[in-house]
C-alpha cells in the first residue's frame, strides 16, 4: 500500500488491534510510533488535527478509530 502511514502509540490496545490485523492479512505499510518520533507526532497534530492513535494516513486524509481503519483496509486491500 503506497503512501499509507499508520501512526501508533507504544501502549495502545487499539493500535495493537490494527497491527495484528495487518499481520494476519499480510498487509505491509509504514508504521510510525509517535512516542518515538516527535516530528511524526507534530505532523499528525498539525495536519490531522489531533494526537489520537491509531491513525491511518491515506490519500491526503487522516482516518481514526481502529475499527474504521480495519474496515477501510479490508475494502482497499488491492491498493
Amino acid at each position: 500500500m503506497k503512501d499509507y502511514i499508520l501512526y501508533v502509540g507504544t501502549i495502545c490496545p487499539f493500535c495493537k488491534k490494527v497491527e495484528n490485523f495487518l499481520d494476519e492479512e499480510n498487509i505491509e505499510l509504514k508504521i510510525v510510533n509517535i512516542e518515538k518520533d516527535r516530528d511524526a507526532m507534530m505532523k499528525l497534530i498539525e495536519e490531522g488535527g489531533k494526537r489520537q492513535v491509531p491513525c491511518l494516513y491515506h490519500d491526503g486524509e487522516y482516518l481514526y478509530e481502529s475499527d474504521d481503519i480495519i474496515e477501510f483496509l479490508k475494502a482497499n486491500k488491492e491498493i
Side-chain angles (χ1 to χ4, degrees):
M1 298 186 129
K2 69 173 197 176
D3 300 331
Y4 283 25
I5 302 171
L6 179 65
Y7 292 95
V8 299
T10 303
I11 303 173
C12 170
F14 301 105
C15 298
K16 188 50 74 181
K17 177 179 177 179
V18 176
E19 289 179 280
N20 288 340
F21 170 78
L22 294 175
D23 288 341
E24 290 167 7
E25 297 296 319
N26 295 315
I27 298 172
E28 291 185 29
L29 31 115
K30 182 177 181 180
I31 298 175
V32 178
N33 186 321
I34 65 167
E35 293 172 32
K36 296 179 180 178
D37 185 339
R38 181 166 171 73
D39 290 338
M41 178 181 67
M42 296 310 295
K43 181 176 180 174
L44 178 61
I45 293 169
E46 289 170 13
E47 296 180 13
K50 52 188 168 181
R51 188 186 179 278
Q52 179 180 333
V53 288
C55 175
L56 177 67
Y57 171 79
H58 66 92
D59 306 315
E61 301 288 327
Y62 290 83
L63 178 63
Y64 299 90
E65 303 298 334
S66 58
D67 289 338
D68 294 341
I69 292 169
I70 289 170
E71 287 304 313
F72 175 83
L73 292 172
K74 281 181 183 177
N76 294 280
K77 277 172 64 170
E78 71 283 350
I79 295 176

